[in-house]
Each structure stands twice: as C-alpha cells, then as structure tokens.
Amino acid sequence: DAMVIQNPRYQVTQFGKPVTLSCSQTLNHNVMYWYQQKSSQAPKLLFHYYDKDFNNEADTPDNFQSRRPNTSFCFLDIRSPGLGDAAMYLCATSSQLVKPQHFGDGTRLSIL
Amino acid sequence: SQQGEEDPQALSIQEGENATMNCSYKTSINNLQWYRQNSGRGLVHLILIRSNEREKHSGRLRVTLDTSKKSSSLLITASRAADTASYFCATLTQGGSEKLVFGKGTKLTVNP
C-alpha cells in the first residue's frame, strides 16, 4: 500500500564515492521533490521536478544532481559525498505545487 | 532561509491532555501546512489551511491561522501515546515559484 517508496532505507558510502538514492511513486503525481534533513533540523528542499522540468534551489551544492526518467521514478545522485552530506534524504510527491506532499520514509545516508 | 519557527521546541505531556504548538513565519503565504514525523520515518501531512481561512478542524486536530500576526497554532486534543512525534509547520510561499519551507519542528512526547 506504500505510495512513495525510497530505496534503500539505509545507505553507507565512502568519502568521495558516488552514490545514488532512488524514489518511486504510485500516485502518478506531477511533482517530485528531494529534501535533505539533518538530525533535529527541518527538511531542506534540494530540488524538484514538475513533470520533466527541473527546478534547482539556489543554495543546493553542485555535488547534488537529480534525474527523473519517467513519472514514477526520481533519483538523487551525490557525485562526491563529503562528511557533511550525511543526512536523511526524503523524497516527496504532490499533484500540484500548492497541494500537500506525500513523503517516503527516507534514506539515511552515512559517509565513512 | 527558514520561514517558520515552531514554539516550543519540545513539549512533554500526559496522555489525555491537550497539546498546543505554535508557528510563526515571516513572509506572505499561499497556505500553511502541518506535518507529523515519527522517529526515523518520513513526514505525514496532517492539515492544510489556506491564507484566507482562520480555523480548520480534522478529528482531534484544530489549526488556527492569523495572517496579521503571521502565526499559526496546532492543537491536539485528548492526546495519546501514539501522538508522540515531531510536528512541523510548513509555509507555501507566494509569488514566483511556490515552495514549501519547513520550520524546525516541535518534539512532542505523550507519556502514558
């Protein structure tokens, strides 16, 4: 019954080793978002896709990239993870930008 | 930069008591949303209140919005141990590209 699915739930990577996090949705929503959430902090929007249109936040580091090959899937690529990138990464979807967002359970990323 | 600020940062109550959390924000909004996050999980949308609305109810939840004071409150009545979670307010900015900006959250503990 899960509607926004993130894999894996936990990911460990080495400093500087590229990593990809994935998100899929069964809601057929137009918008998919990626957030970074560090411990006891607010989720911070990295970027979002409205259909195929990519919208990057001004303060998102170039190290973070995203792909949306189709409506259902969206990927977060971290090209060269640093220790500061250790966080929970949350994927969310919504039918429109003004509508409530549906979140996955996140991927907790650890950097060794 | 953060738009919403929740108050208090942490709240501990007994089962059956009411819990009130407040949120203040800085700029004009399209709507304000409240989300719940259980430990290690994604966010769950609770309630959305539009900028032209003053009060909204959903089950044991009551949300108020005062746009003149740029503040909102979330009241959970007759709390249960299962309400233990972090609660975030999020404002949808107005004009230009709409995006949801989260506050730091209130950590609610309901003791049985």
Side-chain angles (χ1 to χ4, degrees), chain B residues 45-104:
Chain B
H45 177 259
L46 295 175
I47 199 163
L48 179 153
I49 186 165
R50 294 183 177 81
S51 59
N52 62 353
E53 295 176 312
R54 291 297 165 256
E55 189 170 312
K56 209 158 181 182
H57 297 254
S58 176
R60 293 184 295 114
L61 306 180
R62 174 178 169 253
V63 168
T64 62
L65 178 64
D66 187 336
T67 52
S68 66
K69 295 181 179 177
K70 292 187 167 56
S71 67
S72 173
S73 68
L74 170 68
L75 168 68
I76 304 174
T77 59
S79 63
R80 304 166 183 168
D83 294 329
T84 295
S86 291
Y87 291 81
F88 293 89
C89 75
T91 49
L92 190 74
T93 56
Q94 199 173 44
S97 62
E98 290 94 344
K99 69 175 185 180
L100 208 57
V101 180
F102 286 85
K104 285 186 178 179

